[in-house]
């Protein structure tokens, strides 16, 4: 027989289940965005390796750089450079996944324990601050993804321009609905 134990009453009173679910979704979203950002960063480093070694930037050379060539040190202007094994790439990943993001999510959970104080324009201050903290990693990752896309020159492609026009139209639609409601 399986017994289900309810959490202690103070846990139920302190943590709002909806906010805990939102924080969990933010954690999941951040992890997915970190993987996308890392994949794009690897593509950037493969591209930089191909440029440094005077190879064409083709799909074949990019795949070969990711699998084999890009891991070797390359001498550029008398200095040794490493691309896919760069210390900066490893340090950024460690900083994100071990140091920064877990603390932001933990603080976001802790902020939910603050007293429920309503502020007229913001709502409950504990929920507002918690939301602010758990959205920081998502915004940072989105900015990093856009940076990598700019470096890969994806922003000049036709599909990216179409996607941006779609986002602009969606924002205009939401604004028009909001104005119609007022």
């Amino acid at each position: 027989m399986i017994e289900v134990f309810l959490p202690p009453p103070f846990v139920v009173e302190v943590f709002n289940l909806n906010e805990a679910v939102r924080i969990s979704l933010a954690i999941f979203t951040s992890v997915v965005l970190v993987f996308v950002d890392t994949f794009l960063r690897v593509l950037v480093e493969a591209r930089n390796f191909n440029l440094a070694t005077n190879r064409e930037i083709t799909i074949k050379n990019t795949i070969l750089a990711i699998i084999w060539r890009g891991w070797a040190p390359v001498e550029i202007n008398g200095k040794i450079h490493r691309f896919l094994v760069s210390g900066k790439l490893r340090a950024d990943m460690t900083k994100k996944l071990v140091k920064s993001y877990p603390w932001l999510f933990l603080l976001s959970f802790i902020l939910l324990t603050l007293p429920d104080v309503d502020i007229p324009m913001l709502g409950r201050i504990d929920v507002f601050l918690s939301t602010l903290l758990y959205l920081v990693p998502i915004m940072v990752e989105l900015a990093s993804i856009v940076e990598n896309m700019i470096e890969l020159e994806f922003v000049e492609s036709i599909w990216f321009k179409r996607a941006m026009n779609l986002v602009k139209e969606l924002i205009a639609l939401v604004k028009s609905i909001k104005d119609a409601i007022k």
Side-chain angles (χ1 to χ4, degrees), residues 8 18 30 35 75 77 81 97 99 102 132 152 168 172 182:
N18 291 333
S30 296
F35 281 119
E75 186 174 332
N77 297 329
H81 289 278
L97 294 175
K99 296 179 182 176
L132 194 66
L152 286 170
K168 289 176 185 176
K182 288 182 181 179

PDB file of all heavy atoms in Angstrom, residues 8 18 30 35 75 77 81 97 99 102 132 152 168 172 182:
ATOM      1  N   PRO A   8       3.791  19.522   5.977  1.00  0.00           N
ATOM      2  CA  PRO A   8       3.353  20.197   7.200  1.00  0.00           C
ATOM      3  C   PRO A   8       2.556  21.459   6.861  1.00  0.00           C
ATOM      4  O   PRO A   8       2.758  22.071   5.809  1.00  0.00           O
ATOM      5  CB  PRO A   8       4.660  20.564   7.903  1.00  0.00           C
ATOM      6  CG  PRO A   8       5.710  19.743   7.266  1.00  0.00           C
ATOM      7  CD  PRO A   8       5.225  19.366   5.907  1.00  0.00           C
ATOM      8  N   ASN A  18       1.183  27.795  -7.004  1.00  0.00           N
ATOM      9  CA  ASN A  18       1.282  28.356  -8.359  1.00  0.00           C
ATOM     10  C   ASN A  18       2.643  29.000  -8.598  1.00  0.00           C
ATOM     11  O   ASN A  18       3.228  28.845  -9.673  1.00  0.00           O
ATOM     12  CB  ASN A  18       0.179  29.383  -8.597  1.00  0.00           C
ATOM     13  CG  ASN A  18      -1.187  28.753  -8.667  1.00  0.00           C
ATOM     14  OD1 ASN A  18      -1.306  27.589  -9.038  1.00  0.00           O
ATOM     15  ND2 ASN A  18      -2.202  29.502  -8.302  1.00  0.00           N
ATOM     16  N   SER A  30      15.257  27.772 -18.268  1.00  0.00           N
ATOM     17  CA  SER A  30      16.656  28.224 -18.208  1.00  0.00           C
ATOM     18  C   SER A  30      17.613  27.123 -18.634  1.00  0.00           C
ATOM     19  O   SER A  30      18.582  27.380 -19.356  1.00  0.00           O
ATOM     20  CB  SER A  30      17.002  28.687 -16.798  1.00  0.00           C
ATOM     21  OG  SER A  30      16.242  29.804 -16.453  1.00  0.00           O
ATOM     22  N   PHE A  35      21.302  25.094 -22.869  1.00  0.00           N
ATOM     23  CA  PHE A  35      21.735  24.133 -23.886  1.00  0.00           C
ATOM     24  C   PHE A  35      21.731  24.767 -25.279  1.00  0.00           C
ATOM     25  O   PHE A  35      22.661  24.558 -26.058  1.00  0.00           O
ATOM     26  CB  PHE A  35      20.856  22.880 -23.863  1.00  0.00           C
ATOM     27  CG  PHE A  35      21.216  21.923 -22.771  1.00  0.00           C
ATOM     28  CD1 PHE A  35      20.294  21.610 -21.793  1.00  0.00           C
ATOM     29  CD2 PHE A  35      22.476  21.346 -22.702  1.00  0.00           C
ATOM     30  CE1 PHE A  35      20.620  20.735 -20.774  1.00  0.00           C
ATOM     31  CE2 PHE A  35      22.816  20.471 -21.692  1.00  0.00           C
ATOM     32  CZ  PHE A  35      21.883  20.164 -20.720  1.00  0.00           C
ATOM     33  N   GLU A  75      48.060  28.359 -33.797  1.00  0.00           N
ATOM     34  CA  GLU A  75      48.948  29.498 -33.583  1.00  0.00           C
ATOM     35  C   GLU A  75      48.494  30.642 -34.490  1.00  0.00           C
ATOM     36  O   GLU A  75      48.452  30.517 -35.714  1.00  0.00           O
ATOM     37  CB  GLU A  75      50.394  29.126 -33.895  1.00  0.00           C
ATOM     38  CG  GLU A  75      51.360  30.228 -33.559  1.00  0.00           C
ATOM     39  CD  GLU A  75      52.809  29.800 -33.731  1.00  0.00           C
ATOM     40  OE1 GLU A  75      53.094  28.606 -33.592  1.00  0.00           O
ATOM     41  OE2 GLU A  75      53.633  30.681 -34.014  1.00  0.00           O
ATOM     42  N   ASN A  77      49.345  34.717 -35.069  1.00  0.00           N
ATOM     43  CA  ASN A  77      50.245  35.838 -34.764  1.00  0.00           C
ATOM     44  C   ASN A  77      51.204  35.512 -33.619  1.00  0.00           C
ATOM     45  O   ASN A  77      51.451  36.324 -32.737  1.00  0.00           O
ATOM     46  CB  ASN A  77      49.440  37.098 -34.432  1.00  0.00           C
ATOM     47  CG  ASN A  77      48.604  37.565 -35.601  1.00  0.00           C
ATOM     48  OD1 ASN A  77      48.980  37.370 -36.754  1.00  0.00           O
ATOM     49  ND2 ASN A  77      47.477  38.186 -35.309  1.00  0.00           N
ATOM     50  N   HIS A  81      46.068  29.763 -29.636  1.00  0.00           N
ATOM     51  CA  HIS A  81      44.644  29.947 -29.317  1.00  0.00           C
ATOM     52  C   HIS A  81      43.956  28.592 -29.325  1.00  0.00           C
ATOM     53  O   HIS A  81      44.249  27.742 -30.152  1.00  0.00           O
ATOM     54  CB  HIS A  81      43.961  30.851 -30.348  1.00  0.00           C
ATOM     55  CG  HIS A  81      44.370  32.276 -30.251  1.00  0.00           C
ATOM     56  ND1 HIS A  81      43.820  33.138 -29.348  1.00  0.00           N
ATOM     57  CD2 HIS A  81      45.286  32.985 -30.947  1.00  0.00           C
ATOM     58  CE1 HIS A  81      44.379  34.324 -29.484  1.00  0.00           C
ATOM     59  NE2 HIS A  81      45.277  34.257 -30.454  1.00  0.00           N
ATOM     60  N   LEU A  97      25.788  27.535 -14.478  1.00  0.00           N
ATOM     61  CA  LEU A  97      25.103  26.361 -13.947  1.00  0.00           C
ATOM     62  C   LEU A  97      25.401  26.069 -12.481  1.00  0.00           C
ATOM     63  O   LEU A  97      24.624  25.375 -11.831  1.00  0.00           O
ATOM     64  CB  LEU A  97      25.446  25.133 -14.795  1.00  0.00           C
ATOM     65  CG  LEU A  97      24.924  25.177 -16.221  1.00  0.00           C
ATOM     66  CD1 LEU A  97      25.409  23.978 -17.008  1.00  0.00           C
ATOM     67  CD2 LEU A  97      23.414  25.247 -16.248  1.00  0.00           C
ATOM     68  N   LYS A  99      27.189  28.590 -10.131  1.00  0.00           N
ATOM     69  CA  LYS A  99      27.278  29.732  -9.229  1.00  0.00           C
ATOM     70  C   LYS A  99      26.063  30.659  -9.282  1.00  0.00           C
ATOM     71  O   LYS A  99      25.450  30.929  -8.263  1.00  0.00           O
ATOM     72  CB  LYS A  99      28.544  30.532  -9.540  1.00  0.00           C
ATOM     73  CG  LYS A  99      29.814  29.773  -9.286  1.00  0.00           C
ATOM     74  CD  LYS A  99      31.024  30.590  -9.641  1.00  0.00           C
ATOM     75  CE  LYS A  99      32.299  29.790  -9.434  1.00  0.00           C
ATOM     76  NZ  LYS A  99      33.474  30.529  -9.853  1.00  0.00           N
ATOM     77  N   PRO A 102      21.569  28.802  -9.852  1.00  0.00           N
ATOM     78  CA  PRO A 102      20.952  28.119  -8.701  1.00  0.00           C
ATOM     79  C   PRO A 102      20.671  29.057  -7.526  1.00  0.00           C
ATOM     80  O   PRO A 102      19.645  28.926  -6.858  1.00  0.00           O
ATOM     81  CB  PRO A 102      21.986  27.056  -8.310  1.00  0.00           C
ATOM     82  CG  PRO A 102      22.752  26.808  -9.549  1.00  0.00           C
ATOM     83  CD  PRO A 102      22.801  28.125 -10.265  1.00  0.00           C
ATOM     84  N   LEU A 132      10.729  38.549 -10.406  1.00  0.00           N
ATOM     85  CA  LEU A 132      11.853  39.317 -10.940  1.00  0.00           C
ATOM     86  C   LEU A 132      13.137  38.486 -10.906  1.00  0.00           C
ATOM     87  O   LEU A 132      13.886  38.447 -11.889  1.00  0.00           O
ATOM     88  CB  LEU A 132      12.018  40.604 -10.138  1.00  0.00           C
ATOM     89  CG  LEU A 132      12.907  41.675 -10.713  1.00  0.00           C
ATOM     90  CD1 LEU A 132      12.295  42.233 -11.987  1.00  0.00           C
ATOM     91  CD2 LEU A 132      13.089  42.780  -9.700  1.00  0.00           C
ATOM     92  N   LEU A 152      27.028  34.754 -35.462  1.00  0.00           N
ATOM     93  CA  LEU A 152      26.925  33.764 -36.544  1.00  0.00           C
ATOM     94  C   LEU A 152      26.267  34.332 -37.797  1.00  0.00           C
ATOM     95  O   LEU A 152      26.112  33.631 -38.791  1.00  0.00           O
ATOM     96  CB  LEU A 152      26.128  32.547 -36.069  1.00  0.00           C
ATOM     97  CG  LEU A 152      26.839  31.604 -35.120  1.00  0.00           C
ATOM     98  CD1 LEU A 152      25.865  30.597 -34.543  1.00  0.00           C
ATOM     99  CD2 LEU A 152      27.980  30.895 -35.825  1.00  0.00           C
ATOM    100  N   LYS A 168       6.767  41.328 -33.929  1.00  0.00           N
ATOM    101  CA  LYS A 168       6.265  42.704 -33.932  1.00  0.00           C
ATOM    102  C   LYS A 168       4.758  42.740 -34.160  1.00  0.00           C
ATOM    103  O   LYS A 168       4.043  43.507 -33.509  1.00  0.00           O
ATOM    104  CB  LYS A 168       6.984  43.532 -34.997  1.00  0.00           C
ATOM    105  CG  LYS A 168       8.420  43.838 -34.654  1.00  0.00           C
ATOM    106  CD  LYS A 168       9.116  44.572 -35.783  1.00  0.00           C
ATOM    107  CE  LYS A 168      10.581  44.780 -35.484  1.00  0.00           C
ATOM    108  NZ  LYS A 168      11.289  45.398 -36.615  1.00  0.00           N
ATOM    109  N   ALA A 172       1.865  44.080 -31.581  1.00  0.00           N
ATOM    110  CA  ALA A 172       0.839  45.041 -32.010  1.00  0.00           C
ATOM    111  C   ALA A 172      -0.560  44.495 -31.758  1.00  0.00           C
ATOM    112  O   ALA A 172      -1.455  45.237 -31.316  1.00  0.00           O
ATOM    113  CB  ALA A 172       1.025  45.376 -33.486  1.00  0.00           C
ATOM    114  N   LYS A 182      -9.653  48.479 -22.629  1.00  0.00           N
ATOM    115  CA  LYS A 182      -9.734  49.733 -21.840  1.00  0.00           C
ATOM    116  C   LYS A 182     -10.883  50.518 -22.330  1.00  0.00           C
ATOM    117  O   LYS A 182     -11.666  51.115 -21.802  1.00  0.00           O
ATOM    118  CB  LYS A 182      -8.455  50.533 -21.958  1.00  0.00           C
ATOM    119  CG  LYS A 182      -7.308  49.922 -21.218  1.00  0.00           C
ATOM    120  CD  LYS A 182      -6.093  50.799 -21.331  1.00  0.00           C
ATOM    121  CE  LYS A 182      -4.904  50.200 -20.616  1.00  0.00           C
ATOM    122  NZ  LYS A 182      -3.732  51.007 -20.720  1.00  0.00           N
TER     123      LYS A 182
END
